[in-house]
Amino acid sequence: MNNKLYIHNSLSRQKEEFKPLEDGYVGMYVCGPTVYSDVHLGNCRTFVSFDIIYRYLMFLGNKVRYVRNITDVGHLEGDADSDAEDKISKKARLERLEPMEVVQHYSNGFHDMMRIFNTLPPSIEPRATGHIIEQIEMVQSIIDNGYGYEKNGSVYFNTAKFAQENDEYGKLSGRVIDDLLAESRDNLKNQSEKEHPADFAIWIKADPRHLMRWNSPWSVGFPGWHLECSAMSTKYLGQKFDIHGGGNDLKFPHHENEIAQNVGACGCSPAQYWLHANMLLMNGRKMSKSDGNTITPNQLFTGDSPHISKAYSPMAIRFFMLQAHYRSTLDLTDDALLGAEKAYRRLMEANKVLQGLAAAKGAQAGELDQEIDQLIDQAFAEMRDDFNTPKTLARLFELVPKINGIKAGHLDAKELSAETLEKLKKAFSDFIYVIFGLKDEMDAGDGDNSAMDGLMQLIIEMRADARANKDWGTSDKIRDVLKELDIQLKDGKDGTSWTIG
RNA sequence: GGUCGGGUGGCCGAGUGGUUAGGCAGAGGUCUGCAAAACCUUGUACGGCGGUUCGAAUCCGUUCCCGACCUCCA
């Protein structure tokens, strides 16, 4: 059986077998947020996608160092040599806050949201402002290697020269430097500090209104966007590492320039595999604040938005994200969320049923056993094929009727060996909790529900008595009132169970 | 305008040169005191137009539409 992991590499635009630089160890860098506003739902999708990838790499037995930065300086709203302002500096100025207050506030919010979506924290979460020295050193290396030049205290990366001397530039994004040249030749007339429009700032001299400033050999200023990722990935993962990830929108210019900086500074391309998560749409269009086609995570949780009919739980949304492949766009609609929520509950219910199953006496591997065994193996194979969560889920959902069928007695439990049943239990639990990172939201109180369980047991018994006496009024009243309390009774062959939601 | 990626059944969403994705919704049935849950069965599909092929939704060309990034304009 083929146990290799295949990953789609944006650099080669095809699936490749994943081979870490050092067997059993994986270094993964993912571009984190710029913390100047509340985290965007689309960002959440990207980080959930990489959370699954992180979890799965660990599940396969790798020791993973997962570095996800926080960009808290340098990300401009426009071009460095125009009138652009740093996003955080601007926010701080408008709100009359210290820039670090802005950074702390939105970092906290980001972390809260990541926790709500049940993503694992990265191994290291470096900040750009905490690595000014490393960035200055990298600028110096780039200058020393002839790929950077200073103009009026700012330092620019010489993209044109770099592209001429290296094969690297444009490889990732498909940009051709000549096209960039041709497209923008007119701009050369502008009073620009740049020698070429494709050049970009790696150190920016701070104008008087700029609130974030550090001493450097060139000026009192701040590092350019892109540079923080080059410097910090090198610091924590080395000049070469395994995986670099981020949102698709970062491919150009951010990631292209990152590669240029790394090559320009040390002569080697940083990551072996580049992974890009695709965008989240809403109602078939991009989310956009200006035309109202947008929704925040919190609006999703509260249902307070004209775009949705009800509130959705974080796990229902996480499940919704799992239903699409990370490299595809995902269209968020109310109907799709309704469907995902139901599917999520069905899966979790099935798991609960499964974990309660015991092997039948005298069970032997029959046809059912073989089918189940095969589906489990297929599910794992789907994950190894570029983390294909929708296909993995499809296999799990093919197992659901089997689980329910055994429980209900439609399927012959004797055909399922104890060994395969154990394998199935372990696989379901691993997929749901360990790999997909889902949580049970339907259990009351999580852990401390013995009182609730006891109460429900009593109520169920009282209803059973009423039913035995054909007292339908009482039994239906119990059922209806509980339903209003969001508790659902499920009558099965061997008694009644209940769930919340 | 440039580069790249898409257009799949009522909705979301996989995938493949000839064979079932899966979920949700819909229809029928089993079970039930009636329901719900669960189980069984089930329909409609691959944007338009050409071409390659014995055969294409899957490959090629073209056109329309959508998205990302860049650029231009505002």
Side-chain angles (χ1 to χ4, degrees), chain A residues 319 322-323 347 389-398 436:
Chain A
F319 181 91
L322 288 170
Q323 280 188 309
L347 183 70
T389 53
K391 284 184 89 176
T392 305
L393 278 174
R395 299 293 88 76
L396 295 186
F397 273 107
E398 286 178 53
F436 292 158

Side-chain angles (χ1 to χ4, degrees), chain A residues 88-364:
Chain A
I88 284 153
S89 180
K90 179 180 180 187
K91 186 85 178 181
R93 190 168 54 77
L94 293 175
E95 308 264 323
R96 294 176 167 265
L97 294 169
E98 252 322 295
M100 279 304 113
E101 282 184 282
V102 173
V103 166
Q104 190 68 55
H105 176 75
Y106 291 112
S107 296
N108 290 346
F110 170 66
H111 288 144
D112 288 346
M113 196 52 72
M114 289 298 101
R115 214 169 294 124
I116 287 170
F117 278 118
N118 202 32
T119 66
L120 299 172
S123 329
I124 302 175
E125 189 172 55
R127 290 183 178 192
T129 53
H131 298 75
I132 299 295
I133 290 171
E134 288 82 351
Q135 294 182 80
I136 287 175
E137 284 171 353
M138 188 166 250
V139 170
Q140 191 59 58
S141 301
I142 291 171
I143 293 174
D144 292 346
N145 289 335
Y147 294 120
Y149 58 87
E150 188 202 330
K151 279 276 169 75
N152 306 321
S154 291
V155 181
Y156 293 93
F157 190 89
N158 195 331
T159 308
K161 183 182 180 204
F162 177 79
Q164 247 172 24
E165 297 177 6
N166 294 273
D167 204 21
E168 296 285 338
Y169 201 80
K171 234 190 210 172
L172 179 68
S173 62
R175 304 294 148 127
V176 178
I177 189 77
D178 289 338
D179 291 350
L180 293 173
L181 251 174
E183 278 161 23
S184 38
R185 187 152 282 149
D186 289 349
N187 297 349
L188 287 170
K189 289 181 287 201
N190 293 354
Q191 291 296 318
S192 169
E193 288 178 353
K194 291 188 198 173
E195 290 174 4
H196 186 287
D199 293 353
F200 55 93
I202 49 183
W203 185 264
I204 301 158
K205 182 182 176 180
D207 70 27
R209 71 180 168 169
H210 200 276
L211 300 170
M212 306 168 86
R213 44 181 70 229
W214 290 266
N215 260 316
S216 81
W218 314 283
S219 65
V220 174
F222 56 100
W225 186 44
H226 319 309
L227 191 65
E228 82 282 24
C229 287
S230 287
M232 298 189 296
S233 67
T234 302
K235 171 153 183 159
Y236 296 113
L237 295 172
Q239 293 185 336
K240 279 191 83 60
F241 53 93
D242 299 299
I243 295 176
H244 191 127
N248 207 233
D249 50 344
L250 293 177
K251 235 189 228 177
F252 189 87
H254 184 61
H255 289 159
E256 197 68 75
N257 290 352
E258 230 186 289
I259 294 174
Q261 288 167 338
N262 280 296
V263 176
C266 81
C268 55
S269 186
Q272 297 205 91
Y273 303 88
W274 284 81
L275 273 62
H276 289 96
N278 217 135
M279 302 291 100
L280 181 68
L281 307 178
M282 186 160 75
N283 300 317
R285 293 181 297 130
K286 70 167 171 174
M287 289 200 200
S288 147
K289 272 184 201 164
S290 54
D291 65 5
N293 193 236
T294 187
I295 194 166
T296 66
N298 279 321
Q299 283 177 309
L300 229 31
F301 303 152
T302 60
D304 179 24
S305 160
H307 298 293
I308 51 176
S309 62
K310 64 183 282 296
Y312 295 97
S313 72
M315 287 304 108
I317 296 160
R318 186 171 169 115
F319 181 91
F320 168 69
M321 293 170 175
L322 288 170
Q323 280 188 309
H325 186 87
Y326 75 91
R327 286 196 299 113
S328 299
T329 52
L330 171 61
D331 192 7
L332 183 116
T333 63
D334 193 48
D335 283 345
L337 287 172
L338 281 167
E341 180 181 59
K342 287 201 127 186
Y344 159 68
R345 292 185 175 181
R346 187 167 138 87
L347 183 70
M348 299 308 268
E349 262 315 297
N351 183 51
K352 208 185 277 178
V353 169
L354 169 64
Q355 301 304 335
L357 288 180
K361 282 198 183 77
Q364 286 183 1

